[in-house]
Amino acid sequence: MTAQPTDDVAVALRGVRFSYGNGATWALDGVDLTVRAGERVCIVGPNGSGKSTLSRIVAGLAAPDAGTVTVLGERVFDGDAGPDPDAYRRARRGIGAVFQNPEDQLVTTVVEDDVAFGPENLGIAHDDIGRRIAEALQAVDMTESRAADPTVMSGGQQQRIAIAGTMAMHPAMVVFDEPTAMLDGAARAEVMAVLDSLQARGVTIVHITHHADETLRADRVIRMESGRIVSEGRPRRDDAARAASADQPHPPADGGDEPQPDSEPIIAVEHVFFTYPGQTSPVIDDLSLNIARGETVALMGHNGAGKTTLARLLCALERPDDGSITVAGVPVALARGNRSDTVRERRSGAAGTGHVRKPRMASRTQRRALRQHVGYVMQHPERQLFADTVAQDVAYGPRNQGLPEAAVREHVEWALQLLRIGHLADRSPFALSGGQQRLAAIAGVLAC
Ligand SMILES: Nc1ncnc2c1ncn2[C@@H]1O[C@H](COP(=O)(O)OP(=O)(O)OP(=O)(O)O)[C@@H](O)[C@H]1O
Ligand SMILES: [Mg+2]
């Protein structure tokens, strides 16, 4: 049975404004929002529109600069009086928050300790904590993994444990900021099923998402732009269907304007094996693949399938246990003609036992040549950011390649325009929304 939203108010924001820069610009610019107890609300909108900022205010993790904020019956912020620390403390006891990156939310290496962390901090009695752990793990279908190590689990499992940790605090409301952003389709479905079950139990849910199909079960979808709420309404089935079909690979349309790839491969991978140290089975198991110059290829697969490992191998950031890789004419790895029975040895984890010699890797000069051809945008590109401004960060790569200053400026300008972040050029890369940081880091790679 699904619990219905009640008339009680869980969140009431009036005239809320928030600035990261002493009022120079407003991340939230006059937001009025009411969420009823038991309601499931989705917040959508473009990068930098203020969704995460709003979610932190709703979760009691940040105070605004102006307006009033009432959460779970506590008037935590009042424009005239400012924040009320005691009210914040009381309100937070009833609020859980789950964010994008599952790894960042794990605090221990044993599932049940992780789930116990929140209730222990609330000072819940020991016996009661045991009961809560059992309940929460059952709710996310992870009972069997009670004693396991969450740090080596898939993203979907880790996210379910993070949610269990929140549920064990018996929150009246949970704020989710893109909880499925890092997950594959199956793991995403697991997490959405947990949200459905929270909804059925009458927990208030505020959920930020860029996936229209995740909004289907919401009571209300709120759209933000430039720090304001611009529309709200029921979820729309046609939006969700369009988004779901965009997630699937499509065969290319005939006769498009796309440049046709050459038949000559620019990337050639032959019989490559790779096993991480300490693991018994290979992540990359006899992989052969050709990619033609000009071709656009999407590598898809479940969490843990080896996509990132393959990308790192292509960039000479990992050394294969066997096989050859050539990229743009550079021999990234060259097999040393091991005997054919090495396949069996690789599969049985014999890597590094001395039976087989690892491929020869590219020399330093060859690697330098490789860097001129390959730009690598990592899974968390925002972690590559380091300079004082976005423009300086983007300029680092081309400058490092020895381009003259005029050309560096041209490359930077081009990359910023391409990603439509010219307006962020003088901002600190650390003072941006999650999506904006990602775009800035990608610009840095493209500018090279
Ligand atoms: N730590 C920060 N310091 C300064 N400005 C920030 C900071 N975090 C975000 N901003 C700015 O505040 C505005 C709203 O950012 P917010 O993170 O709330 O957006 P968002 O809607 O969550 O975006 P995304 O979809 O990219 O996650 C943006 O203009 C952003 O550049
Ligand atoms: Mg955000």
Side-chain angles (χ1 to χ4, degrees), residues 329-407:
V330 177
V332 174
L334 204 56
R336 300 198 207 227
N338 295 302
R339 299 185 318 274
S340 58
D341 62 359
T342 56
V343 169
R344 201 161 17 87
E345 288 177 21
R346 291 299 173 215
R347 290 214 171 113
S348 63
T353 57
H355 288 96
V356 281
R357 293 199 301 154
K358 290 203 175 194
R360 181 176 323 181
M361 292 298 282
S363 68
R364 193 180 289 182
T365 322
Q366 286 170 326
R367 282 182 199 219
R368 206 170 301 131
L370 185 71
R371 304 272 169 264
Q372 313 251 320
H373 291 287
V374 181
Y376 180 30
V377 180
M378 296 191 285
Q379 185 164 17
H380 302 283
E382 57 279 10
R383 293 185 188 163
Q384 294 169 278
L385 298 167
F386 68 96
D388 289 341
T389 68
V390 169
Q392 284 169 18
D393 212 295
V394 177
Y396 177 79
R399 195 168 281 143
N400 211 23
Q401 292 195 341
L403 290 182
E405 266 317 292

Side-chain angles (χ1 to χ4, degrees), residues 29 183 219 310 397:
D29 194 5
L183 307 181
D219 296 302
L310 177 59

Side-chain angles (χ1 to χ4, degrees), residues 308 311 315 317 374-382 384 419 437-446:
T308 298
C315 296
L317 297 171
V374 181
Y376 180 30
V377 180
M378 296 191 285
Q379 185 164 17
H380 302 283
E382 57 279 10
Q384 294 169 278
L419 292 164
Q437 284 191 326
R438 205 156 264 205
L439 293 171
I442 294 172
V445 174
L446 296 182

Side-chain angles (χ1 to χ4, degrees), residues 273-276 280-286 321 346-349:
F273 291 80
F274 181 82
T275 304
Y276 280 104
T280 48
S281 52
V283 188
I284 305 284
D285 188 359
D286 199 6
D321 297 322
R346 291 299 173 215
R347 290 214 171 113
S348 63

Side-chain angles (χ1 to χ4, degrees), residues 27-335:
L28 295 178
D29 194 5
V31 171
D32 295 320
L33 171 69
T34 304
V35 180
R36 287 173 296 147
E39 199 179 5
R40 177 169 175 177
V41 171
C42 274
I43 301 180
V44 301
N47 291 138
S49 54
K51 305 180 297 299
S52 292
T53 309
L54 180 62
S55 77
R56 288 169 53 75
I57 287 180
V58 167
L61 298 171
D65 294 297
T68 59
V69 181
T70 309
V71 250
L72 304 183
E74 301 285 347
R75 171 64 62 102
V76 291
F77 187 91
D78 189 320
D80 302 323
D84 177 341
D86 289 330
Y88 264 114
R89 218 166 290 132
R90 288 191 299 269
R92 277 195 213 116
R93 294 179 70 89
I95 307 173
V98 177
F99 301 105
Q100 200 176 82
N101 191 340
E103 288 162 40
D104 291 351
Q105 300 175 73
L106 298 171
V107 280
T108 75
T109 51
V110 180
V111 165
E112 61 184 346
D113 292 351
D114 225 86
V115 177
F117 188 77
E120 273 168 4
N121 275 343
L122 289 180
I124 306 292
H126 191 74
D127 292 350
D128 212 11
I129 291 181
R131 206 169 319 123
R132 286 182 179 212
I133 295 173
E135 247 174 45
L137 286 176
Q138 192 175 4
V140 299
D141 200 13
M142 292 289 287
T143 305
E144 314 277 279
S145 309
R146 193 177 172 126
D149 177 358
T151 61
V152 297
M153 290 183 180
S154 76
Q157 292 171 318
Q158 288 180 336
Q159 203 60 307
R160 275 150 64 196
I161 292 162
I163 297 174
T166 303
M167 287 172 77
M169 295 164 73
H170 287 184
M173 171 166 76
V174 185
V175 178
F176 292 93
D177 190 352
E178 299 192 49
T180 64
M182 316 272 295
L183 307 181
D184 67 26
R188 203 147 79 76
E190 289 168 8
V191 170
M192 292 315 292
V194 175
L195 260 73
D196 295 346
S197 99
L198 285 175
Q199 180 181 25
R201 291 160 187 238
V203 175
T204 309
I205 298 175
V206 176
H207 174 201
I208 295 174
T209 179
H210 284 289
H211 292 288
D213 57 316
E214 292 186 355
T215 65
L216 273 181
R217 300 261 181 129
D219 296 302
R220 201 154 41 116
V221 179
I222 291 174
R223 184 170 179 82
M224 295 195 70
E225 274 174 30
S226 307
R228 295 166 192 260
I229 293 175
V230 291
S231 66
E232 59 172 84
R234 306 284 305 173
R236 292 168 44 141
R237 227 156 245 293
D238 44 345
D239 287 354
R242 223 181 359 259
S245 92
D247 277 351
Q248 298 300 320
H250 292 288
D254 287 339
D257 300 333
E258 293 289 308
Q260 290 303 308
D262 292 352
S263 51
E264 172 206 348
I266 189 151
I267 296 177
V269 177
E270 285 170 51
H271 299 294
V272 162
F273 291 80
F274 181 82
T275 304
Y276 280 104
Q279 300 284 317
T280 48
S281 52
V283 188
I284 305 284
D285 188 359
D286 199 6
L287 179 95
S288 297
L289 165 81
N290 277 348
I291 297 178
R293 191 184 292 274
E295 204 175 4
T296 305
V297 174
L299 269 185
M300 299 177 72
H302 293 297
N303 288 125
K307 304 177 294 294
T308 298
T309 308
L310 177 59
R312 291 179 58 81
L313 284 163
L314 294 179
C315 296
L317 297 171
E318 299 285 358
R319 177 187 204 162
D321 297 322
D322 202 355
S324 298
I325 301 173
T326 311
V327 176
V330 177
V332 174
L334 204 56

